[in-house]
Amino acid sequence: MEESGKLQSEENKGSMETNKKRKLKTPAQIYALEKFYDEHKYPTEEMKSELAEELGLTEKQVSGWFCHRRLKDKRLLKDEACANGRQDISSGVVQDHGSGLGQDSCGSTKHGDYKHLDPKEVESRGLYGGHDLLVSDMAFERRNHYSENVCAMDDTSSESSSYLQDKDSYDAEPSGYPIPNGALPSKIPKATTNMRYKPSGYLKVKGEIENPVITAVKKQLGRNYCEDGPLLGIEFDPLPPGAFECKIADPFHETYYMASRAVKCSPEISALKRQPGLSDIYDLYNAKCNSQDSHMEGEDLADFQDKKPQQHSKQRPPLYGHASRLPSRNSTLDLYDHSVREAPSYNSRENCRVGIKHGFEGLKSDSASNRSDHYDGNLAANPKDALLHGYDYVNLKNVQSEYVNLVPSKPMRNPFVSMDTKDRGGLSGRMIKEKMSSEKRMARKQCDDPDTLRMLLLKAANRVDPPLQYNAKEDHIAEMQPHKILRSSMEVSSSFSEDETVNPSSSLDEAIGCH
DNA sequence: TTGTGTTTTATTGCCTCC
DNA sequence: GGAGGCAATAAAACACAA
């Protein structure tokens, strides 16, 4: 805490001396804060300290952020209330698609309740994020689709289910939530833990009851079902003509196609797939996305690359100018950095902006310093172990990387669970543009940032699903073909030795170096 | 490239509660 | 009186249109 505080203050000093510019929080920090805020609108001093420490911020900053965040919520709630009349008209469509619980989440009475509830009381009661959703929650959830997305793999909408379980987990020992591959992040920062990083699976949503569709998908996938998404290497059959003309008419039978729809349907994606480099990752991502609005994916990678230099030039000086200035430990900031920077692709306007505003900046600033520092120190230093032993070294990164993998170019859009439909419907042109822009940046970031890329690749390597391509019991994890992924995703021409296969780090570094 | 609008962050003052 | 929160304000950062 003090370290971080000092760190922060020193940084602030340094920056303040030159100019008293405010510092944007990194996406990682934003994410952590948002996540935390999602659970604790009014964190205690202890929590703040903890969070501040984890994020490398000062308590003051954290407090201020929460304060502003509450104000923001309030304001948004107000706006929401103003727009309520209009929303009510279409509430039938708006509410919780596919879950059948829409009425619960959008009741006008909830709003009234909120108005009469002391926020602190509300928070202390754990109403936020719980089943007993308030309008504020809904507003937040809509806005904060980022967290939704993150949870999309942890649990597409685990807000309700996980919260109750986790509500009082702040002081609980990080138990290491099982992540999709069965690996347990052995060490998850408290702040992280409290942010409900429950990689309980992409398809774990608001309970089975709430998402029969998801259950159906699971059933359909059978043994091929992977908690955190489709299997690497799965090739979905081409869609029959006109497969998408009918919108999830029968989700129980069409989910299979939906899962691949994003990949197959979008010409941009198809183009992307042809693109050497991100294609595999992209596939990985897209396969997981079950995206329904592939039309929004119209971001040409070439376009990314064209603009890349421009973006680079726009980058501000690194927030953390030097790795040495950072604590050696794995801070939450660290942990989040890889993933969250790419992650902030909220559905909401607000969150969208976060992604836009912070995503790139955070990446650049941190990638130059702490990431290489800590990340390499942990994962790259012994990526083999990281691979072999799950995610011991990667901690939250792994959990986050679940998300990272999903966000190379677009946010998670779960057609079953999210409020995307509504969001999209409500998105202004600008929002959409921003959203797309944000997605674009995210993808670009992942191309630009070696560490992120490595993270992606490693994650991808870990995601090769044994049941499909290997016998999980027989095949060693080292055989998860990281090199294969590398080749396909990085277009690394060189062949890798066995050692390289075992030690993806070197290969990755090499690849990244080439990159 | 520039102007404009929006969002985010930081600061400050006031209020309430213990 | 101190701590914590809220609200107002300023300024920076950012996106976008002209």
Side-chain angles (χ1 to χ4, degrees):
Chain A
M1 166 62 206
E2 288 182 4
E3 280 183 15
S4 307
K6 285 177 184 177
L7 184 79
Q8 180 74 16
S9 54
E10 281 179 10
E11 272 179 14
N12 286 338
K13 263 190 211 168
S15 59
M16 291 293 185
E17 284 174 0
T18 53
N19 55 349
K20 294 191 175 182
K21 291 181 180 180
R22 67 185 180 87
K23 281 169 61 179
L24 289 179
K25 291 174 177 56
T26 68
Q29 292 169 329
I30 295 291
Y31 171 74
L33 288 167
E34 288 283 358
K35 258 309 198 186
F36 203 93
Y37 176 79
D38 193 18
E39 259 189 50
H40 303 279
K41 299 296 195 272
Y42 292 84
T44 65
E45 195 62 22
E46 189 181 348
M47 291 176 178
K48 286 179 193 172
S49 299
E50 197 91 31
L51 192 56
E53 179 184 4
E54 296 295 340
L55 298 180
L57 298 172
T58 64
E59 286 184 58
K60 193 178 177 182
Q61 281 179 303
V62 172
S63 294
W65 187 89
F66 271 89
C67 185
H68 289 120
R69 189 61 184 77
R70 287 191 293 267
L71 290 174
K72 186 178 169 184
D73 243 5
K74 201 173 177 180
R75 193 176 63 244
L76 287 168
L77 203 66
K78 199 177 170 184
D79 296 341
E80 196 92 4
C82 291
N84 246 359
R86 187 167 50 86
Q87 284 190 359
D88 286 345
I89 296 173
S90 56
S91 57
V93 179
V94 161
Q95 294 166 6
D96 201 358
H97 320 283
S99 73
L101 300 179
Q103 298 303 323
D104 286 346
S105 56
C106 204
S108 58
T109 53
K110 297 286 177 60
H111 190 229
D113 289 344
Y114 178 75
K115 277 199 267 187
H116 293 87
L117 271 177
D118 177 11
K120 295 178 183 178
E121 203 175 330
V122 170
E123 205 258 343
S124 64
R125 286 179 190 174
L127 292 179
Y128 281 90
H131 283 285
D132 197 359
L133 288 173
L134 301 168
V135 167
S136 62
D137 285 329
M138 296 308 298
F140 181 73
E141 286 301 318
R142 277 195 298 275
R143 292 190 316 273
N144 193 7
H145 208 75
Y146 169 44
S147 48
E148 187 84 0
N149 288 340
V150 172
C151 294
M153 64 214 67
D154 57 353
D155 45 14
T156 309
S157 57
S158 66
E159 296 299 328
S160 53
S161 59
S162 64
Y163 179 75
L164 293 178
Q165 301 165 2
D166 225 28
K167 167 76 174 68
D168 298 317
S169 64
Y170 181 82
D171 292 321
E173 199 64 21
S175 55
Y177 298 105
I179 62 178
N181 277 347
L184 289 174
S186 62
K187 182 180 143 199
I188 298 180
K190 269 189 179 178
T192 304
T193 308
N194 290 305
M195 286 154 218
R196 285 177 299 144
Y197 282 109
K198 296 200 188 44
S200 47
Y202 169 46
L203 295 177
K204 183 188 171 192
V205 292
K206 291 187 178 178
E208 306 294 318
I209 301 173
E210 229 173 333
N211 269 283
V213 174
I214 306 302
T215 306
V217 173
K218 288 181 180 178
K219 287 177 182 174
Q220 281 203 356
L221 287 174
R223 66 183 185 92
N224 288 333
Y225 162 68
C226 191
E227 271 274 305
D228 59 342
L231 309 167
L232 189 69
I234 277 190
E235 284 295 332
F236 291 97
D237 292 340
L239 293 170
F244 300 137
E245 293 175 5
C246 183
K247 247 198 169 183
I248 318 178
D250 184 358
F252 284 87
H253 295 89
E254 293 187 3
T255 43
Y256 172 82
Y257 290 112
M258 290 179 60
S260 61
R261 185 164 61 181
V263 179
K264 300 294 181 186
C265 257
S266 170
E268 292 81 8
I269 300 307
S270 299
L272 262 178
K273 282 172 70 75
R274 289 189 296 272
Q275 292 260 355
L278 281 184
S279 60
D280 281 330
I281 297 173
Y282 209 93
D283 285 356
L284 188 63
Y285 163 69
N286 276 311
K288 290 182 68 172
C289 279
N290 289 354
S291 171
Q292 65 179 359
D293 46 354
S294 53
H295 66 280
M296 294 265 303
E297 301 177 4
E299 292 305 330
D300 193 342
L301 188 60
D303 186 37
F304 294 4
Q305 292 163 346
D306 288 342
K307 295 177 181 174
K308 199 189 291 185
Q310 186 182 350
Q311 288 294 335
H312 272 286
S313 65
K314 276 192 167 185
Q315 296 314 308
R316 279 172 278 149
L319 210 56
Y320 301 96
H322 203 277
S324 62
R325 296 164 73 180
L326 290 155
S328 57
R329 64 176 173 77
N330 267 337
S331 68
T332 304
L333 175 65
D334 237 3
L335 297 172
Y336 283 103
D337 272 347
H338 295 278
S339 48
V340 180
R341 264 188 301 253
E342 294 79 52
S345 52
Y346 310 165
N347 270 349
S348 69
R349 178 178 64 182
E350 144 200 20
N351 291 332
C352 204
R353 286 193 64 89
V354 168
I356 292 164
K357 285 189 166 184
H358 301 280
F360 217 25
E361 174 258 343
L363 171 76
K364 295 301 177 182
S365 60
D366 292 335
S367 63
S369 51
N370 49 332
R371 300 236 321 287
S372 55
D373 204 355
H374 304 297
Y375 181 72
D376 289 345
N378 288 331
L379 179 59
N382 203 342
K384 180 181 175 181
D385 283 354
L387 282 172
L388 292 178
H389 302 135
Y391 293 77
D392 286 352
Y393 291 95
V394 196
N395 297 339
L396 177 58
K397 278 177 190 168
N398 301 298
V399 181
Q400 286 289 316
S401 65
E402 290 296 315
Y403 187 72
V404 171
N405 281 333
L406 299 178
V407 197
S409 68
K410 66 183 283 299
M412 166 67 68
R413 294 191 185 88
N414 190 323
F416 309 127
V417 183
S418 76
M419 302 176 182
D420 250 38
T421 305
K422 175 186 177 181
D423 287 341
R424 275 198 313 279
L427 281 178
S428 67
R430 181 183 173 180
M431 290 176 187
I432 294 173
K433 284 181 181 177
E434 287 187 352
K435 196 173 178 179
M436 297 171 72
S437 181
S438 138
E439 295 162 4
K440 199 194 289 183
R441 288 191 192 89
M442 286 175 219
R444 197 185 304 145
K445 276 189 298 183
Q446 295 188 334
C447 298
D448 290 344
D449 183 39
D451 285 330
T452 302
L453 201 47
R454 173 165 39 201
M455 194 62 211
L456 275 171
L457 295 172
L458 281 172
K459 181 60 187 175
N462 279 279
R463 189 172 293 172
V464 175
D465 191 67
L468 183 69
Q469 300 181 342
Y470 302 95
N471 184 326
K473 293 178 181 177
E474 295 174 2
D475 292 308
H476 193 274
I477 188 166
E479 298 177 51
M480 283 183 166
Q481 295 186 326
H483 56 289
K484 175 185 176 183
I485 294 164
L486 253 183
R487 286 200 190 97
S488 56
S489 59
M490 302 294 301
E491 197 69 4
V492 177
S493 56
S494 64
S495 60
F496 294 85
S497 66
E498 286 302 313
D499 290 341
E500 281 170 329
T501 304
V502 175
N503 185 356
S505 162
S506 58
S507 301
L508 288 168
D509 285 335
E510 188 179 327
I512 289 163
C514 295
H515 180 72

